[in-house]
Short mmCIF file of all heavy atoms in Angstrom, two decimals:
data_model
loop_
_atom_site.label_atom_id
_atom_site.label_comp_id
_atom_site.label_asym_id
_atom_site.label_seq_id
_atom_site.Cartn_x
_atom_site.Cartn_y
_atom_site.Cartn_z
N MET H 4 -17.82 17.17 -0.19
CA MET H 4 -16.56 17.13 -0.88
C MET H 4 -16.82 17.02 -2.38
O MET H 4 -17.66 16.27 -2.82
CB MET H 4 -15.80 15.91 -0.37
CG MET H 4 -14.55 15.66 -1.10
SD MET H 4 -13.67 14.17 -0.56
CE MET H 4 -14.09 14.01 1.13
N ASP H 5 -16.08 17.75 -3.16
CA ASP H 5 -16.29 17.71 -4.61
C ASP H 5 -15.53 16.54 -5.23
O ASP H 5 -14.68 15.92 -4.62
CB ASP H 5 -15.87 19.04 -5.24
CG ASP H 5 -14.40 19.37 -5.03
OD1 ASP H 5 -13.68 18.52 -4.48
OD2 ASP H 5 -13.97 20.45 -5.41
N ARG H 6 -15.85 16.22 -6.46
CA ARG H 6 -15.26 15.07 -7.13
C ARG H 6 -13.78 15.25 -7.40
O ARG H 6 -13.02 14.30 -7.43
CB ARG H 6 -15.98 14.79 -8.45
CG ARG H 6 -17.24 13.98 -8.23
CD ARG H 6 -17.87 13.56 -9.53
NE ARG H 6 -17.25 12.49 -10.27
CZ ARG H 6 -17.26 11.21 -9.94
NH1 ARG H 6 -17.79 10.83 -8.82
NH2 ARG H 6 -16.72 10.31 -10.74
N SER H 7 -13.33 16.48 -7.60
CA SER H 7 -11.91 16.69 -7.89
C SER H 7 -11.04 16.30 -6.71
O SER H 7 -9.96 15.76 -6.88
CB SER H 7 -11.66 18.14 -8.29
OG SER H 7 -11.95 19.01 -7.21
N THR H 8 -11.51 16.54 -5.49
CA THR H 8 -10.74 16.14 -4.32
C THR H 8 -10.72 14.62 -4.19
O THR H 8 -9.70 14.03 -3.88
CB THR H 8 -11.35 16.74 -3.03
OG1 THR H 8 -11.43 18.15 -3.20
CG2 THR H 8 -10.51 16.42 -1.82
N GLY H 9 -11.85 13.97 -4.46
CA GLY H 9 -11.93 12.52 -4.38
C GLY H 9 -11.02 11.84 -5.37
O GLY H 9 -10.46 10.79 -5.09
N SER H 10 -10.85 12.41 -6.56
CA SER H 10 -9.98 11.78 -7.55
C SER H 10 -8.51 12.11 -7.29
O SER H 10 -7.65 11.38 -7.74
CB SER H 10 -10.39 12.23 -8.95
OG SER H 10 -10.20 13.61 -9.10
N ALA H 11 -8.24 13.18 -6.58
CA ALA H 11 -6.85 13.55 -6.30
C ALA H 11 -6.28 12.74 -5.13
O ALA H 11 -5.08 12.55 -5.05
CB ALA H 11 -6.76 15.04 -5.99
N ILE H 12 -7.13 12.25 -4.24
CA ILE H 12 -6.68 11.49 -3.08
C ILE H 12 -7.15 10.05 -3.24
O ILE H 12 -8.34 9.77 -3.11
CB ILE H 12 -7.22 12.10 -1.78
CG1 ILE H 12 -6.80 13.56 -1.66
CG2 ILE H 12 -6.74 11.30 -0.58
CD1 ILE H 12 -7.43 14.30 -0.51
N PRO H 13 -6.22 9.12 -3.53
CA PRO H 13 -6.62 7.73 -3.76
C PRO H 13 -7.27 7.11 -2.53
O PRO H 13 -6.83 7.30 -1.41
CB PRO H 13 -5.30 7.02 -4.07
CG PRO H 13 -4.32 8.07 -4.34
CD PRO H 13 -4.80 9.32 -3.68
N GLY H 14 -8.32 6.36 -2.76
CA GLY H 14 -8.96 5.62 -1.69
C GLY H 14 -9.93 6.40 -0.84
O GLY H 14 -10.56 5.85 0.06
N LEU H 15 -10.09 7.69 -1.10
CA LEU H 15 -10.97 8.51 -0.26
C LEU H 15 -12.42 8.07 -0.39
O LEU H 15 -13.15 8.02 0.60
CB LEU H 15 -10.82 9.98 -0.62
CG LEU H 15 -11.35 10.98 0.40
CD1 LEU H 15 -10.70 10.76 1.75
CD2 LEU H 15 -11.13 12.38 -0.06
N GLY H 16 -12.83 7.70 -1.58
CA GLY H 16 -14.20 7.22 -1.78
C GLY H 16 -14.45 5.90 -1.07
O GLY H 16 -15.54 5.64 -0.58
N THR H 17 -13.40 5.07 -0.99
CA THR H 17 -13.53 3.79 -0.30
C THR H 17 -13.73 3.98 1.19
O THR H 17 -14.43 3.20 1.83
CB THR H 17 -12.27 2.94 -0.55
OG1 THR H 17 -12.05 2.84 -1.95
CG2 THR H 17 -12.40 1.56 0.04
N LEU H 18 -13.14 5.00 1.75
CA LEU H 18 -13.27 5.23 3.20
C LEU H 18 -14.69 5.51 3.62
O LEU H 18 -15.07 5.22 4.75
CB LEU H 18 -12.36 6.39 3.63
CG LEU H 18 -10.88 6.07 3.72
CD1 LEU H 18 -10.09 7.32 4.08
CD2 LEU H 18 -10.62 4.97 4.71
N ARG H 19 -15.48 6.05 2.74
CA ARG H 19 -16.88 6.35 3.08
C ARG H 19 -17.66 5.09 3.39
O ARG H 19 -18.53 5.09 4.25
CB ARG H 19 -17.55 7.11 1.94
CG ARG H 19 -17.03 8.50 1.80
CD ARG H 19 -17.81 9.25 0.75
NE ARG H 19 -17.12 10.48 0.43
CZ ARG H 19 -16.94 10.95 -0.77
NH1 ARG H 19 -17.43 10.30 -1.81
NH2 ARG H 19 -16.29 12.06 -0.96
N GLY H 20 -17.37 4.00 2.70
CA GLY H 20 -18.08 2.76 2.90
C GLY H 20 -17.33 1.76 3.78
O GLY H 20 -17.71 0.60 3.87
N TYR H 21 -16.25 2.21 4.41
CA TYR H 21 -15.43 1.32 5.22
C TYR H 21 -16.13 0.97 6.52
O TYR H 21 -16.73 1.82 7.17
CB TYR H 21 -14.08 1.98 5.52
CG TYR H 21 -13.07 1.04 6.09
CD1 TYR H 21 -12.37 0.17 5.27
CD2 TYR H 21 -12.81 1.00 7.46
CE1 TYR H 21 -11.44 -0.70 5.78
CE2 TYR H 21 -11.89 0.12 7.98
CZ TYR H 21 -11.20 -0.73 7.14
OH TYR H 21 -10.29 -1.59 7.66
N ARG H 22 -16.05 -0.31 6.89
CA ARG H 22 -16.67 -0.75 8.14
C ARG H 22 -15.60 -1.01 9.19
O ARG H 22 -14.54 -1.56 8.89
CB ARG H 22 -17.46 -2.04 7.91
CG ARG H 22 -18.67 -1.79 7.05
CD ARG H 22 -19.52 -3.03 7.02
NE ARG H 22 -19.91 -3.25 5.64
CZ ARG H 22 -20.22 -4.42 5.13
NH1 ARG H 22 -20.18 -5.49 5.87
NH2 ARG H 22 -20.57 -4.52 3.87
N ARG H 23 -15.89 -0.63 10.41
CA ARG H 23 -14.92 -0.74 11.50
C ARG H 23 -14.49 -2.18 11.75
O ARG H 23 -13.35 -2.44 12.12
CB ARG H 23 -15.51 -0.14 12.77
CG ARG H 23 -14.53 -0.07 13.90
CD ARG H 23 -15.08 0.75 15.00
NE ARG H 23 -14.67 2.11 14.71
CZ ARG H 23 -14.55 3.04 15.62
NH1 ARG H 23 -14.86 2.79 16.85
NH2 ARG H 23 -14.15 4.24 15.30
N GLU H 24 -15.37 -3.15 11.52
CA GLU H 24 -15.02 -4.55 11.78
C GLU H 24 -13.98 -5.09 10.80
O GLU H 24 -13.39 -6.14 11.02
CB GLU H 24 -16.27 -5.45 11.79
CG GLU H 24 -17.03 -5.51 10.50
CD GLU H 24 -18.20 -4.53 10.43
OE1 GLU H 24 -18.29 -3.62 11.26
OE2 GLU H 24 -19.01 -4.71 9.52
N TRP H 25 -13.74 -4.38 9.70
CA TRP H 25 -12.70 -4.79 8.76
C TRP H 25 -11.30 -4.43 9.23
O TRP H 25 -10.31 -5.00 8.75
CB TRP H 25 -12.92 -4.12 7.41
CG TRP H 25 -14.16 -4.51 6.69
CD1 TRP H 25 -14.97 -5.59 6.92
CD2 TRP H 25 -14.73 -3.81 5.59
NE1 TRP H 25 -16.01 -5.60 6.04
CE2 TRP H 25 -15.90 -4.51 5.20
CE3 TRP H 25 -14.41 -2.68 4.89
CZ2 TRP H 25 -16.72 -4.11 4.15
CZ3 TRP H 25 -15.22 -2.28 3.85
CH2 TRP H 25 -16.36 -2.99 3.48
N LEU H 26 -11.19 -3.48 10.15
CA LEU H 26 -9.89 -2.94 10.54
C LEU H 26 -8.90 -3.99 11.05
O LEU H 26 -7.75 -4.00 10.59
CB LEU H 26 -10.07 -1.82 11.56
CG LEU H 26 -8.80 -1.06 11.93
CD1 LEU H 26 -8.18 -0.41 10.71
CD2 LEU H 26 -9.10 -0.02 13.00
N PRO H 27 -9.26 -4.88 11.98
CA PRO H 27 -8.26 -5.85 12.45
C PRO H 27 -7.69 -6.73 11.33
O PRO H 27 -6.49 -6.97 11.28
CB PRO H 27 -9.03 -6.70 13.47
CG PRO H 27 -10.17 -5.85 13.91
CD PRO H 27 -10.51 -5.00 12.73
N LYS H 28 -8.55 -7.19 10.44
CA LYS H 28 -8.06 -8.03 9.33
C LYS H 28 -7.21 -7.22 8.36
O LYS H 28 -6.23 -7.75 7.81
CB LYS H 28 -9.24 -8.68 8.61
CG LYS H 28 -9.91 -9.74 9.45
CD LYS H 28 -11.01 -10.42 8.71
CE LYS H 28 -11.65 -11.47 9.62
NZ LYS H 28 -12.73 -12.18 8.97
N ASP H 29 -7.54 -5.96 8.14
CA ASP H 29 -6.73 -5.12 7.27
C ASP H 29 -5.36 -4.84 7.87
O ASP H 29 -4.35 -4.79 7.15
CB ASP H 29 -7.45 -3.80 6.98
CG ASP H 29 -8.58 -3.96 5.98
OD1 ASP H 29 -8.63 -5.01 5.30
OD2 ASP H 29 -9.41 -3.04 5.89
N ILE H 30 -5.30 -4.69 9.19
CA ILE H 30 -4.01 -4.47 9.85
C ILE H 30 -3.14 -5.72 9.72
O ILE H 30 -1.95 -5.63 9.40
CB ILE H 30 -4.22 -4.07 11.32
CG1 ILE H 30 -4.79 -2.66 11.39
CG2 ILE H 30 -2.91 -4.16 12.10
CD1 ILE H 30 -5.19 -2.21 12.78
N VAL H 31 -3.72 -6.89 9.95
CA VAL H 31 -2.97 -8.14 9.80
C VAL H 31 -2.48 -8.30 8.37
O VAL H 31 -1.33 -8.67 8.14
CB VAL H 31 -3.83 -9.35 10.24
CG1 VAL H 31 -3.16 -10.66 9.86
CG2 VAL H 31 -4.10 -9.29 11.73
N ALA H 32 -3.33 -8.01 7.40
CA ALA H 32 -2.94 -8.11 6.00
C ALA H 32 -1.78 -7.16 5.69
O ALA H 32 -0.84 -7.53 4.97
CB ALA H 32 -4.12 -7.81 5.09
N GLY H 33 -1.83 -5.96 6.22
CA GLY H 33 -0.75 -5.00 6.00
C GLY H 33 0.56 -5.45 6.61
O GLY H 33 1.63 -5.30 6.02
N LEU H 34 0.50 -6.02 7.81
CA LEU H 34 1.71 -6.52 8.47
C LEU H 34 2.31 -7.71 7.71
O LEU H 34 3.53 -7.79 7.54
CB LEU H 34 1.40 -6.91 9.91
CG LEU H 34 1.08 -5.75 10.85
CD1 LEU H 34 0.63 -6.27 12.21
CD2 LEU H 34 2.27 -4.83 11.00
N VAL H 35 1.45 -8.60 7.24
CA VAL H 35 1.94 -9.75 6.47
C VAL H 35 2.57 -9.29 5.16
O VAL H 35 3.66 -9.75 4.77
CB VAL H 35 0.80 -10.76 6.21
CG1 VAL H 35 1.20 -11.81 5.19
CG2 VAL H 35 0.37 -11.41 7.52
N LEU H 36 1.92 -8.37 4.50
CA LEU H 36 2.45 -7.84 3.24
C LEU H 36 3.80 -7.17 3.46
O LEU H 36 4.75 -7.39 2.69
CB LEU H 36 1.46 -6.84 2.63
CG LEU H 36 1.78 -6.32 1.25
CD1 LEU H 36 1.69 -7.45 0.24
CD2 LEU H 36 0.82 -5.21 0.88
N THR H 37 3.92 -6.40 4.53
CA THR H 37 5.18 -5.75 4.84
C THR H 37 6.26 -6.77 5.16
O THR H 37 7.40 -6.65 4.69
CB THR H 37 5.00 -4.80 6.04
OG1 THR H 37 4.01 -3.82 5.70
CG2 THR H 37 6.29 -4.09 6.39
N ALA H 38 5.91 -7.80 5.94
CA ALA H 38 6.89 -8.82 6.32
C ALA H 38 7.40 -9.59 5.10
O ALA H 38 8.53 -10.07 5.10
CB ALA H 38 6.26 -9.78 7.32
N LEU H 39 6.59 -9.71 4.07
CA LEU H 39 7.01 -10.44 2.87
C LEU H 39 7.71 -9.55 1.85
O LEU H 39 8.73 -9.93 1.28
CB LEU H 39 5.80 -11.09 2.21
CG LEU H 39 5.13 -12.21 2.99
CD1 LEU H 39 3.85 -12.65 2.29
CD2 LEU H 39 6.07 -13.38 3.16
N LEU H 40 7.16 -8.38 1.59
CA LEU H 40 7.68 -7.55 0.50
C LEU H 40 8.97 -6.82 0.81
O LEU H 40 9.80 -6.64 -0.07
CB LEU H 40 6.61 -6.54 0.07
CG LEU H 40 5.44 -7.11 -0.71
CD1 LEU H 40 4.49 -6.00 -1.12
CD2 LEU H 40 5.92 -7.85 -1.93
N VAL H 41 9.14 -6.37 2.03
CA VAL H 41 10.34 -5.59 2.35
C VAL H 41 11.60 -6.44 2.20
O VAL H 41 12.53 -6.04 1.48
CB VAL H 41 10.22 -4.93 3.74
CG1 VAL H 41 11.54 -4.35 4.18
CG2 VAL H 41 9.15 -3.84 3.70
N PRO H 42 11.70 -7.60 2.85
CA PRO H 42 12.92 -8.40 2.65
C PRO H 42 13.10 -8.87 1.21
O PRO H 42 14.23 -8.94 0.71
CB PRO H 42 12.73 -9.60 3.58
CG PRO H 42 11.66 -9.23 4.52
CD PRO H 42 10.82 -8.22 3.84
N GLN H 43 11.99 -9.18 0.54
CA GLN H 43 12.09 -9.63 -0.84
C GLN H 43 12.64 -8.52 -1.74
O GLN H 43 13.52 -8.76 -2.57
CB GLN H 43 10.72 -10.07 -1.35
CG GLN H 43 10.73 -10.54 -2.78
CD GLN H 43 9.34 -10.86 -3.28
OE1 GLN H 43 8.35 -10.46 -2.69
NE2 GLN H 43 9.26 -11.57 -4.38
N GLY H 44 12.13 -7.32 -1.58
CA GLY H 44 12.61 -6.19 -2.38
C GLY H 44 14.08 -5.90 -2.12
O GLY H 44 14.84 -5.61 -3.04
N MET H 45 14.49 -5.99 -0.86
CA MET H 45 15.89 -5.75 -0.52
C MET H 45 16.79 -6.84 -1.10
O MET H 45 17.89 -6.55 -1.60
CB MET H 45 16.04 -5.66 1.00
CG MET H 45 15.35 -4.43 1.57
SD MET H 45 15.25 -4.42 3.36
CE MET H 45 16.95 -4.13 3.79
N ALA H 46 16.32 -8.08 -1.08
CA ALA H 46 17.11 -9.18 -1.64
C ALA H 46 17.26 -9.04 -3.15
O ALA H 46 18.36 -9.25 -3.69
CB ALA H 46 16.46 -10.51 -1.29
N TYR H 47 16.18 -8.69 -3.83
CA TYR H 47 16.26 -8.51 -5.29
C TYR H 47 17.22 -7.38 -5.66
O TYR H 47 17.94 -7.47 -6.64
CB TYR H 47 14.88 -8.23 -5.88
CG TYR H 47 14.05 -9.46 -6.12
CD1 TYR H 47 12.69 -9.46 -5.83
CD2 TYR H 47 14.59 -10.63 -6.63
CE1 TYR H 47 11.91 -10.59 -6.04
CE2 TYR H 47 13.83 -11.76 -6.85
CZ TYR H 47 12.48 -11.73 -6.55
OH TYR H 47 11.73 -12.84 -6.76
N ALA H 48 17.21 -6.32 -4.88
CA ALA H 48 18.14 -5.22 -5.15
C ALA H 48 19.58 -5.68 -5.00
O ALA H 48 20.43 -5.36 -5.84
CB ALA H 48 17.85 -4.06 -4.21
N GLU H 49 19.85 -6.44 -3.94
CA GLU H 49 21.22 -6.93 -3.76
C GLU H 49 21.62 -7.91 -4.86
O GLU H 49 22.77 -7.91 -5.30
CB GLU H 49 21.36 -7.58 -2.39
CG GLU H 49 21.40 -6.54 -1.28
CD GLU H 49 21.79 -7.13 0.06
OE1 GLU H 49 22.04 -8.35 0.15
OE2 GLU H 49 21.83 -6.35 1.02
N LEU H 50 20.69 -8.74 -5.31
CA LEU H 50 20.99 -9.65 -6.43
C LEU H 50 21.31 -8.89 -7.71
O LEU H 50 22.10 -9.36 -8.53
CB LEU H 50 19.81 -10.60 -6.68
CG LEU H 50 19.64 -11.73 -5.67
CD1 LEU H 50 18.33 -12.47 -5.93
CD2 LEU H 50 20.82 -12.69 -5.74
N ALA H 51 20.71 -7.73 -7.85
CA ALA H 51 20.96 -6.90 -9.03
C ALA H 51 22.22 -6.05 -8.87
O ALA H 51 22.57 -5.28 -9.77
CB ALA H 51 19.76 -6.00 -9.30
N GLY H 52 22.89 -6.17 -7.72
CA GLY H 52 24.12 -5.40 -7.50
C GLY H 52 23.87 -4.00 -6.98
O GLY H 52 24.76 -3.15 -7.05
N LEU H 53 22.68 -3.74 -6.49
CA LEU H 53 22.34 -2.43 -5.95
C LEU H 53 22.31 -2.48 -4.43
O LEU H 53 22.21 -3.55 -3.85
CB LEU H 53 20.97 -1.99 -6.47
CG LEU H 53 20.82 -1.87 -7.97
CD1 LEU H 53 19.36 -1.72 -8.36
CD2 LEU H 53 21.65 -0.71 -8.49
N PRO H 54 22.39 -1.33 -3.78
CA PRO H 54 22.27 -1.33 -2.32
C PRO H 54 20.88 -1.81 -1.89
O PRO H 54 19.88 -1.59 -2.59
CB PRO H 54 22.47 0.13 -1.92
CG PRO H 54 22.96 0.83 -3.12
CD PRO H 54 22.65 -0.01 -4.31
N ALA H 55 20.80 -2.45 -0.73
CA ALA H 55 19.53 -2.99 -0.24
C ALA H 55 18.49 -1.89 -0.04
O ALA H 55 17.29 -2.13 -0.23
CB ALA H 55 19.75 -3.73 1.07
N ILE H 56 18.91 -0.70 0.29
CA ILE H 56 17.97 0.41 0.52
C ILE H 56 17.20 0.73 -0.76
O ILE H 56 16.04 1.17 -0.70
CB ILE H 56 18.70 1.65 1.08
CG1 ILE H 56 17.72 2.67 1.63
CG2 ILE H 56 19.58 2.29 0.04
CD1 ILE H 56 17.10 2.28 2.92
N THR H 57 17.79 0.48 -1.91
CA THR H 57 17.10 0.68 -3.18
C THR H 57 15.87 -0.22 -3.27
O THR H 57 14.80 0.21 -3.70
CB THR H 57 18.05 0.41 -4.36
OG1 THR H 57 19.21 1.21 -4.22
CG2 THR H 57 17.37 0.68 -5.69
N GLY H 58 16.02 -1.46 -2.85
CA GLY H 58 14.88 -2.38 -2.84
C GLY H 58 13.81 -1.96 -1.87
O GLY H 58 12.62 -2.13 -2.13
N LEU H 59 14.21 -1.39 -0.74
CA LEU H 59 13.24 -0.91 0.24
C LEU H 59 12.42 0.24 -0.35
O LEU H 59 11.19 0.24 -0.26
CB LEU H 59 13.96 -0.45 1.51
CG LEU H 59 13.10 0.08 2.62
CD1 LEU H 59 12.17 -1.00 3.14
CD2 LEU H 59 13.96 0.63 3.74
N TYR H 60 13.08 1.20 -0.95
CA TYR H 60 12.37 2.31 -1.57
C TYR H 60 11.48 1.84 -2.71
O TYR H 60 10.37 2.33 -2.89
CB TYR H 60 13.34 3.38 -2.07
CG TYR H 60 14.02 4.16 -0.98
CD1 TYR H 60 15.35 4.52 -1.07
CD2 TYR H 60 13.32 4.54 0.16
CE1 TYR H 60 15.97 5.24 -0.07
CE2 TYR H 60 13.93 5.25 1.17
CZ TYR H 60 15.26 5.60 1.04
OH TYR H 60 15.86 6.31 2.06
N THR H 61 11.96 0.90 -3.49
CA THR H 61 11.18 0.37 -4.60
C THR H 61 9.91 -0.30 -4.10
O THR H 61 8.83 -0.12 -4.68
CB THR H 61 12.02 -0.61 -5.42
OG1 THR H 61 13.20 0.05 -5.88
CG2 THR H 61 11.25 -1.14 -6.61
N SER H 62 10.02 -1.07 -3.02
CA SER H 62 8.84 -1.74 -2.45
C SER H 62 7.79 -0.71 -2.04
O SER H 62 6.60 -0.87 -2.31
CB SER H 62 9.23 -2.58 -1.24
OG SER H 62 10.12 -3.59 -1.60
N ILE H 63 8.23 0.33 -1.38
CA ILE H 63 7.30 1.37 -0.91
C ILE H 63 6.66 2.11 -2.09
O ILE H 63 5.45 2.30 -2.13
CB ILE H 63 8.02 2.35 0.03
CG1 ILE H 63 8.44 1.62 1.31
CG2 ILE H 63 7.13 3.54 0.36
CD1 ILE H 63 9.40 2.40 2.18
N LEU H 64 7.47 2.48 -3.05
CA LEU H 64 6.94 3.23 -4.20
C LEU H 64 6.00 2.39 -5.04
O LEU H 64 5.01 2.91 -5.58
CB LEU H 64 8.09 3.78 -5.05
CG LEU H 64 8.92 4.87 -4.38
CD1 LEU H 64 10.10 5.26 -5.26
CD2 LEU H 64 8.06 6.08 -4.06
N CYS H 65 6.26 1.10 -5.15
CA CYS H 65 5.35 0.22 -5.91
C CYS H 65 3.98 0.14 -5.24
O CYS H 65 2.95 0.15 -5.91
CB CYS H 65 5.94 -1.17 -6.05
SG CYS H 65 7.31 -1.24 -7.20
N LEU H 66 3.96 0.05 -3.92
CA LEU H 66 2.68 0.01 -3.20
C LEU H 66 1.92 1.32 -3.36
O LEU H 66 0.70 1.32 -3.53
CB LEU H 66 2.91 -0.31 -1.73
CG LEU H 66 3.40 -1.72 -1.44
CD1 LEU H 66 3.74 -1.87 0.04
CD2 LEU H 66 2.36 -2.74 -1.85
N ILE H 67 2.62 2.43 -3.31
CA ILE H 67 1.96 3.73 -3.49
C ILE H 67 1.42 3.84 -4.92
O ILE H 67 0.31 4.30 -5.15
CB ILE H 67 2.94 4.88 -3.18
CG1 ILE H 67 3.24 4.89 -1.68
CG2 ILE H 67 2.38 6.23 -3.64
CD1 ILE H 67 4.35 5.83 -1.27
N GLY H 68 2.22 3.39 -5.90
CA GLY H 68 1.76 3.42 -7.28
C GLY H 68 0.54 2.54 -7.50
O GLY H 68 -0.40 2.93 -8.19
N TYR H 69 0.53 1.37 -6.88
CA TYR H 69 -0.62 0.49 -7.00
C TYR H 69 -1.87 1.13 -6.40
O TYR H 69 -2.96 1.06 -6.97
CB TYR H 69 -0.34 -0.86 -6.32
CG TYR H 69 -1.53 -1.77 -6.31
CD1 TYR H 69 -1.91 -2.44 -7.47
CD2 TYR H 69 -2.29 -1.94 -5.17
CE1 TYR H 69 -3.01 -3.27 -7.48
CE2 TYR H 69 -3.40 -2.77 -5.16
CZ TYR H 69 -3.74 -3.43 -6.32
OH TYR H 69 -4.84 -4.23 -6.32
N ALA H 70 -1.71 1.75 -5.25
CA ALA H 70 -2.85 2.42 -4.61
C ALA H 70 -3.38 3.54 -5.49
O ALA H 70 -4.59 3.74 -5.60
CB ALA H 70 -2.44 2.96 -3.24
N LYS H 71 -2.50 4.26 -6.14
CA LYS H 71 -2.92 5.36 -7.00
C LYS H 71 -3.64 4.87 -8.24
O LYS H 71 -4.67 5.41 -8.64
CB LYS H 71 -1.68 6.18 -7.40
CG LYS H 71 -1.94 7.36 -8.26
CD LYS H 71 -2.58 8.46 -7.49
CE LYS H 71 -2.71 9.69 -8.38
NZ LYS H 71 -3.62 10.65 -7.83
N ILE H 72 -3.14 3.82 -8.84
CA ILE H 72 -3.72 3.31 -10.09
C ILE H 72 -5.02 2.53 -9.84
O ILE H 72 -5.97 2.63 -10.60
CB ILE H 72 -2.69 2.42 -10.82
CG1 ILE H 72 -1.53 3.28 -11.33
CG2 ILE H 72 -3.34 1.67 -11.97
CD1 ILE H 72 -0.37 2.48 -11.85
N SER H 73 -5.05 1.76 -8.76
CA SER H 73 -6.20 0.87 -8.57
C SER H 73 -7.40 1.54 -7.93
O SER H 73 -8.49 0.98 -7.93
CB SER H 73 -5.79 -0.32 -7.70
OG SER H 73 -5.49 0.10 -6.40
N SER H 74 -7.26 2.72 -7.38
CA SER H 74 -8.40 3.40 -6.74
C SER H 74 -9.30 3.99 -7.80
O SER H 74 -8.83 4.61 -8.76
CB SER H 74 -7.91 4.51 -5.82
OG SER H 74 -7.18 3.96 -4.75
N PRO H 75 -10.62 3.80 -7.64
CA PRO H 75 -11.55 4.34 -8.65
C PRO H 75 -11.62 5.85 -8.60
O PRO H 75 -11.34 6.50 -7.70
CB PRO H 75 -12.89 3.74 -8.27
CG PRO H 75 -12.75 3.14 -6.92
CD PRO H 75 -11.29 3.05 -6.62
#
């Protein structure tokens, strides 16, 4: 794979060194993060006078943005 593909797809370089024993803990971390961030984002949207779905979309887009920015 060339470097241009690796930089266009966030986290692809990390997958090469990923170990299978990390998967259960990563799944638990993802579930906990989802359980905390989704209701929080929806509540903040409602406090701001926006529909709750706006907070849901914002939570998802923030995580995607973080993954894009933080990947080497």
Side-chain angles (χ1 to χ4, degrees):
M4 173 183 331
D5 61 5
R6 277 187 75 72
S7 63
T8 305
S10 63
I12 303 172
L15 197 57
T17 306
L18 284 177
R19 290 185 192 137
Y21 192 80
R22 292 188 225 154
R23 186 169 271 205
E24 62 265 14
W25 295 344
L26 186 60
K28 290 183 180 180
D29 284 345
I30 289 173
V31 170
L34 291 173
V35 168
L36 187 66
T37 301
L39 293 173
L40 287 182
V41 169
Q43 180 184 16
M45 293 170 71
Y47 279 139
E49 286 190 0
L50 285 172
L53 300 168
I56 193 74
T57 305
L59 180 64
Y60 289 141
T61 303
S62 298
I63 294 168
L64 292 175
C65 288
L66 291 173
I67 292 171
Y69 175 76
K71 181 73 174 164
I72 292 170
S73 67
S74 295

